[in-house]
Amino acid sequence: RELVLPEHFSQMLGSEVLVRLIRPRDNVREFVGILKAYDGSVTVEINGTETVFDKKEIAFVKLNETF
């Protein structure tokens, strides 16, 4: 499920998400972590470190569904 509206982000705080960027950051385009905050930018905890992604650099944010 893709997170688009601010309500989607607020409902999914604490969930594991996949963030795909339009352009790679440090040669990495996809990041998986715990959604910590959304205030126009997206804050994700990745391996214990909080990383902030600006909305304009994000292609999409989805719940990370692992089976």
Side-chain angles (χ1 to χ4, degrees):
R1 173 178 166 188
E2 192 166 337
L3 307 181
V4 180
L5 301 175
E7 296 83 34
H8 295 160
F9 287 93
S10 62
Q11 290 172 356
M12 296 301 148
L13 289 175
S15 299
E16 188 174 72
V17 294
L18 166 69
V19 178
R20 178 173 287 164
L21 302 180
I22 296 169
R23 292 187 187 88
R25 181 189 280 188
D26 299 326
N27 294 322
V28 180
R29 193 168 187 188
E30 291 187 349
F31 297 86
V32 175
I34 305 299
L35 180 62
K36 290 296 185 177
Y38 176 79
D39 55 3
S41 59
V42 177
T43 303
V44 178
E45 183 179 311
I46 304 167
N47 297 325
T49 304
E50 288 194 357
T51 304
V52 178
F53 299 98
D54 193 64
K55 188 69 175 156
K56 66 184 177 189
E57 68 180 322
I58 297 173
F60 63 78
V61 179
K62 291 184 178 182
L63 286 179
N64 189 36
E65 299 171 348
T66 54
F67 298 98

